[in-house]
Amino acid sequence: MDFSDNARDAAFRAEARAWLDANRPVELAPQLAELGFAPNSLRDADLLAESRKWQRRKADAGWACIHWPGAYGGRDASPVERIIWKQEEGIYANLSHLFFIGQNMCGPTLIDHATEEQKRRYLPPIVSGDEIWCQLFSEPTAGSDLAAVQTRAVRDGDDWVVNGQKVWTSGAHFSNFGLLLARTDPTVAKHQGLTMFFLDMASPGIDIRPIRQADGGAEFNEVFFADVRIPDSQRLGAPGEGWKVALGTLMNERLSHGTGMPTGFPELLDLAQSDRAGGRPIDDPAVRAKLASLAVRESGLRLTGLRLVGGLKRGEAPGPASSIGKLVAGPMMQEVAALAIEMQGAMGVVSEYGKAEAAARFQTMLLRSAATRIEGGTDEILRNIIAERVLGLPPEPRVDK
Amino acid sequence: MEFQLSDLQRELVEGVERYLRDAATPEAARASLDREPHGYDRELWRGLASLGVTGLSIGEAYGGMGLGDLELGFVAECAGRFLVRAPLGSTIWRSAAAIELLGSEAQKERWLTKIAAGDIAVAYVDVAAHAFAEPEIAGGRLTARFSVVADAMAADLFVVVAPGGAWLIEAEDEGVARTALETFDLLQPSADVALTGATAEPMGAAAEPMGAAAEPMGERDVRDAIRFLRQRAAVLTAFEQVGMCQAAIDGAVAYAKERYAFGRAIGSFQAVKHLLADMYVKMEIARSNSYYAGWALATRDANLTAAAAAAHLSATDALRHCAANAIQVHGGIGFTWELDCHLRYRRAHHLALQSGPARLWQDDLIDALARQREAA
Ligand SMILES: Cc1cc2nc3c(=O)[nH]c(=O)nc-3n(C[C@H](O)[C@H](O)[C@H](O)COP(=O)(O)OP(=O)(O)OC[C@H]3O[C@@H](n4cnc5c(N)ncnc54)[C@H](O)[C@@H]3O)c2cc1C
């Protein structure tokens, strides 16, 4: 157990830092620093264009998706090097948000299940940001109960023909490809009748309709499929193995959430130290007690992330323990935001950029963090996973298995 | 960076675990409690000594193993998983380090060898936490009243530290009077201690003029030393608390699998599952904070103040939560004397008090983080 850099780590850190110093888009720093949470727009620049520019620059120099194999555009970096890179990239990682699903969920699924030829075709553009991916899993009647998906894929010659509907598909409106979980055999038990595919989002028969979110944004969509054809070569895993493939995707998602969520605590501490009408909030013992309770979760979360990622062997898949991260971070963000807004007094309700304090980050966090506890596995589902897969408690009796 | 235990650390912990599994059984703890309600299990203590646990972080020159505080932390975590009725907290987490830090060569020679050998128990008195009035020292004699001193009845030696100095007092000195207290922690008893002109030998380094030799961390400064010792004890206790969380969870999970109600194992009820999942999450957060603090302690890292406070606060919170809910998962039988749940529930609340008021640790943590944030 050693939390400091050894000589090899230090050399890697120096190399990363030198490259970043010479290449990062410093002109965006002020805006990126304000985007600590759920970055979905830049004030004075086009987020997609800037994200792609930064991603391309990193990819060209071998600093994108660094833990992926070099053959697919990565750097074969060790888990510890991945940690170091993330620490060094800092606020510029906010420019990777649009690629999150492709790089953390679809990409690893391709690495595990695609053919060699497909990996060479599809992975490098994920690394460079040229192609964006989305995750077509949830449906109106299949969320937590993901294995209940009804979207049908029927074999027809060398193709599969897809009909049905997905929902809550983040980024579908600007994605090039999608990872699709579909039912291929309705006659067997529900977990056994699923198959995973990937498809071109420009395929004829796909209709994408944005959904307005509770926080006012529209990051997610409904996606309708009408006789959409997918070549059988774009199947990932055997027919009927879709559930297993999906579990791998979700595990990767949980690890990346669990280790990388900004909780807003450092910014809350800044706010607590500001002079206000009633004095500095940090001097109020009741506030200090709350700050301390958040501080130990902040450090515990960060250090647990280090232990989970850093404890993996090169290329090893994350285990169910990675569910801890989001389970702690989600409710914590709601607490951080609520405490910050309370410190801001009556002005705390103002969410308008330019008028709200701290670049409206706490108002943004307050509204967005409600979704954190739902997306990628609700708090309740994560508790079930920990109880059953980490602690080994018996599953609930089920009528659907 | 490395986030696994080293082979040496793993072997060390496995060795201690094997021994404690046989020696620190619930039956042994209860027998010791009946035999010596205000003492400790001496056979267990000697067993721990023969494994090297009592001398783990004591220098080889004094019969110890000369290992670091992180290794001691992992052993503390392991000990927490069992019902260890032995003065680890007072003698090893606290007093041995105080003697090593503040004692003269002769004092170390004399006492550390005995501690490493498992021959004695040493009680630790941080005057700021245990005395209502300033102790009086005159002509090498100390007069004071200390309340709720852990392991005091069975102690052979007292280490007393105060901003004005540090002393060693032998328990058999005629100026020492002890009154056993009934406390709710059955694993570690406490007593009041009255000193009336007790022979108090000033501890070496403290007796010398301040700053006589430049050492790292201002270790010659008693105030700094006391602060450091307090942090060290809190960190090692945090490891112990994490081990106790693990034991509470393991016991509750095992019971939830075998106990049936409404035709199913109670562990299949989601309310029970979620209770256990939350216990696990709190434990892991505390564990991560503790491992980091153990590393910061062993390396004398500049972040030790914040790290120790975070470890203490999160491990205290986690253990209180786990100990209480382990009883809940057991239902009625969890509230029986016969089951071990209450032993952990009791000790959880004793440990929460032992390192001093939460408010002070919260202040340490927030002040340190605010300074870091300002510096950044
Ligand atoms: C911002 C956002 C982005 C998203 N992006 C995507 C995406 O890109 N791709 C995608 O496929 N999906 C996406 N989702 C969907 C997300 O994965 C689902 O919303 C989530 O899995 C919950 O499913 P549900 O909405 O159907 O809720 P339900 O499953 O209906 O849950 C409702 C409530 O019931 C509880 N519940 C359900 N089952 C159980 C159980 N077994 N035990 C205990 N409690 C239970 C839940 O915890 C919850 O509180 C996104 C969601 C959000 C909010």
Side-chain angles (χ1 to χ4, degrees):
Chain A
M1 192 74 48
D2 185 356
F3 290 85
S4 61
D5 287 356
N6 61 25
R8 221 181 39 230
D9 300 340
F12 181 83
R13 193 183 292 281
E15 195 187 345
R17 201 172 282 179
W19 187 84
L20 282 163
D21 281 346
N23 290 284
R24 62 191 165 192
V26 274
E27 67 283 1
L28 294 176
Q31 292 183 65
L32 290 173
E34 286 177 358
L35 279 191
F37 189 72
N40 46 27
S41 66
L42 286 172
R43 250 180 305 119
D44 308 317
D46 175 355
L47 179 66
L48 183 57
E50 294 296 341
S51 297
R52 281 206 152 117
K53 225 190 309 178
W54 177 232
Q55 196 61 35
R56 168 68 64 79
R57 202 180 299 167
K58 286 191 290 182
D60 286 348
W63 287 109
C65 298
I66 64 168
H67 59 292
W68 286 12
Y72 312 134
R75 196 187 185 88
D76 290 305
S78 70
V80 165
E81 288 170 341
R82 188 179 170 190
I83 291 170
I84 293 172
W85 169 258
K86 202 175 150 97
Q87 291 170 341
E88 294 299 321
E89 191 182 12
I91 53 169
Y92 299 93
N94 288 342
L95 287 171
S96 308
H97 187 68
L98 299 173
F99 313 119
F100 182 91
I101 292 175
Q103 297 182 344
N104 293 289
M105 299 159 72
C106 304
T109 309
L110 291 172
I111 290 176
D112 287 345
H113 301 284
T115 64
E116 187 56 35
E117 196 185 331
Q118 286 168 335
K119 290 186 214 181
R120 289 180 189 273
R121 156 63 187 86
Y122 292 102
L123 291 171
I126 293 180
V127 175
S128 66
D130 286 338
E131 290 175 354
I132 296 180
W133 285 59
C134 62
Q135 176 207 19
L136 299 151
F137 283 18
S138 304
E139 297 181 4
T141 55
S144 301
D145 186 8
L146 183 59
V149 298
Q150 292 175 0
T151 294
R152 282 280 276 133
V154 178
R155 187 74 191 245
D156 181 29
D158 284 342
D159 290 343
W160 295 80
V161 178
V162 180
N163 281 286
Q165 184 202 341
K166 294 290 173 178
V167 74
W168 322 129
T169 317
S170 301
H173 51 305
F174 53 71
S175 289
N176 306 88
F177 294 93
L179 190 63
L180 173 78
L181 184 64
R183 185 157 304 281
T184 46
D185 186 352
T187 65
V188 294
K190 72 182 197 186
H191 291 85
Q192 266 118 56
L194 301 170
T195 304
M196 190 73 81
F197 302 93
F198 68 89
L199 81 168
D200 189 333
M201 291 300 284
S203 306
I206 295 185
D207 180 15
I208 301 167
R209 301 180 198 161
I211 304 172
R212 186 140 189 225
Q213 297 161 189
D215 64 354
E219 299 165 76
F220 58 25
N221 305 270
E222 290 177 291
V223 181
F224 295 89
F225 297 82
D227 291 331
V228 176
R229 299 190 81 84
I230 305 178
D232 182 54
S233 59
Q234 291 179 197
R235 174 169 45 77
L236 296 170
E241 293 278 290
W243 181 244
K244 229 178 70 197
V245 179
L247 286 183
T249 311
L250 296 175
M251 210 75 97
N252 275 292
E253 172 175 25
R254 271 159 210 151
L255 184 74
S256 41
H257 277 313
T259 55
M261 307 206 101
T263 58
F265 180 76
E267 292 84 0
L268 177 67
L269 205 55
D270 290 343
L271 190 68
Q273 292 182 81
S274 60
D275 288 313
R276 323 195 66 87
R280 298 189 325 153
I282 199 172
D283 296 329
D284 174 347
V287 169
R288 285 175 94 81
K290 283 189 198 166
L291 287 173
S293 145
L294 292 164
V296 304
R297 275 177 278 166
E298 155 91 7
S299 58
L301 202 56
R302 185 168 35 77
L303 295 163
T304 302
L306 288 182
R307 283 175 55 221
L308 286 171
V309 178
L312 293 175
K313 297 195 183 62
R314 213 179 282 256
E316 190 183 14
S322 56
S323 301
I324 295 176
K326 197 171 76 75
L327 187 51
V328 175
M332 188 180 156
M333 288 178 199
Q334 290 182 311
E335 261 181 75
V336 165
L339 183 56
I341 285 162
E342 212 177 296
M343 287 178 193
Q344 293 173 355
M347 278 296 286
V349 76
V350 178
S351 55
E352 187 181 334
Y353 183 84
K355 286 195 181 150
E357 233 184 301
R361 72 165 61 244
F362 294 111
Q363 287 73 18
T364 307
M365 175 176 273
L366 178 77
L367 298 179
R368 183 58 177 74
S369 55
T372 305
R373 298 180 57 189
I374 297 166
E375 60 193 325
T378 65
D379 285 4
E380 292 71 30
I381 293 299
L382 296 181
R383 285 193 179 92
N384 287 350
I385 290 174
I386 289 172
E388 292 177 19
R389 311 224 7 238
V390 180
L391 300 178
L393 290 164
E396 287 179 85
R398 292 170 59 158
V399 288
D400 64 337
K401 249 188 162 172
Chain B
M1 290 185 266
E2 172 58 57
F3 302 104
Q4 310 276 14
L5 271 64
S6 68
D7 289 345
L8 175 107
Q9 289 164 344
R10 202 181 308 276
E11 279 164 29
L12 179 71
V13 170
E14 282 167 5
V16 175
E17 184 182 347
R18 262 194 308 276
Y19 171 70
L20 290 177
R21 197 171 291 288
D22 290 338
T25 58
E27 297 73 35
R30 283 159 193 274
S32 147
L33 177 61
D34 291 341
R35 218 171 36 235
E36 263 197 301
H38 298 290
Y40 61 95
D41 184 340
R42 283 166 200 266
E43 201 184 313
L44 182 65
W45 194 233
R46 274 189 294 273
L48 286 168
S50 67
L51 275 176
V53 169
T54 51
L56 202 85
S57 64
I58 290 175
E60 284 170 295
Y62 312 113
M65 287 172 77
L67 294 178
D69 288 336
L70 184 55
E71 283 70 31
L72 191 57
F74 291 132
V75 167
E77 179 183 350
C78 179
R81 288 169 44 208
F82 299 90
L83 298 171
V84 175
R85 222 169 162 271
L88 283 168
S90 50
T91 308
I92 311 300
W93 306 170
R94 292 177 171 81
S95 303
I99 296 172
E100 187 122 39
L101 201 60
L102 299 167
S104 68
E105 200 44 47
Q107 287 165 341
K108 292 186 204 181
E109 185 77 45
R110 175 155 183 223
W111 296 113
L112 291 180
T113 45
K114 289 201 169 78
I115 292 175
D119 290 341
I120 57 170
V122 187
Y124 183 78
V125 180
D126 182 340
V127 166
H130 293 277
F132 294 115
E134 273 301 301
E136 289 166 33
I137 179 91
R141 291 179 178 277
L142 195 59
T143 298
R145 296 179 69 84
F146 303 133
S147 59
V148 203
V149 178
D151 296 313
M153 287 311 281
D156 304 284
L157 181 72
F158 290 87
V159 171
V160 177
V161 298
W167 301 273
L168 294 171
I169 295 148
E170 290 186 52
E172 56 192 24
D173 188 278
E174 55 188 18
V176 175
R178 298 175 267 193
T179 314
L181 290 169
E182 191 175 311
T183 72
F184 58 66
D185 183 0
L186 302 177
L187 292 171
Q188 187 184 36
S190 302
D192 284 341
V193 180
L195 303 181
T196 319
T199 310
E201 185 181 310
M203 285 174 75
E208 291 162 22
M210 299 281 180
E215 278 183 19
M217 288 205 58
E219 286 179 1
R220 299 237 152 203
D221 182 340
V222 186
R223 259 175 213 278
D224 275 359
I226 293 175
R227 187 177 158 77
F228 171 75
L229 290 167
R230 210 175 280 161
Q231 289 171 344
R232 181 179 187 274
V235 172
L236 294 169
T237 303
F239 274 87
E240 186 183 342
Q241 287 167 314
V242 168
M244 290 176 69
C245 288
Q246 185 74 61
I249 292 173
D250 289 349
V253 164
Y255 188 73
K257 287 181 188 171
E258 73 193 23
R259 169 74 178 170
Y260 272 65
F262 300 94
R264 38 196 276 217
I266 57 160
S268 70
F269 291 113
Q270 209 167 71
V272 173
K273 264 185 198 166
H274 288 193
L275 211 55
L276 288 163
D278 285 341
M279 288 159 71
Y280 170 81
V281 170
K282 273 186 184 280
M283 171 181 71
E284 283 300 312
I285 292 293
R287 175 172 279 146
S288 296
N289 278 317
S290 300
Y291 285 9
Y292 177 71
W295 170 83
L297 173 67
T299 58
R300 306 295 189 263
D301 189 82
N303 278 332
L304 176 59
T305 298
H312 167 71
L313 291 169
S314 62
T316 298
D317 175 48
L319 179 56
R320 284 191 295 213
H321 182 84
C322 289
N325 285 306
I327 295 179
Q328 187 64 19
V329 169
H330 280 83
I333 201 156
F335 188 63
T336 59
W337 184 262
E338 189 192 337
L339 231 73
D340 297 329
C341 290
H342 70 107
L343 296 176
R344 260 178 232 107
Y345 182 60
R346 291 158 175 271
R347 182 146 179 76
H349 287 267
H350 182 198
L351 289 179
L353 301 176
Q354 224 172 39
S355 297
R359 190 176 42 79
L360 299 183
W361 294 102
Q362 289 166 353
D363 284 347
D364 265 8
L365 176 60
I366 296 306
D367 289 341
L369 292 179
R371 271 196 308 276
Q372 273 171 28
R373 187 72 188 157
E374 266 167 354

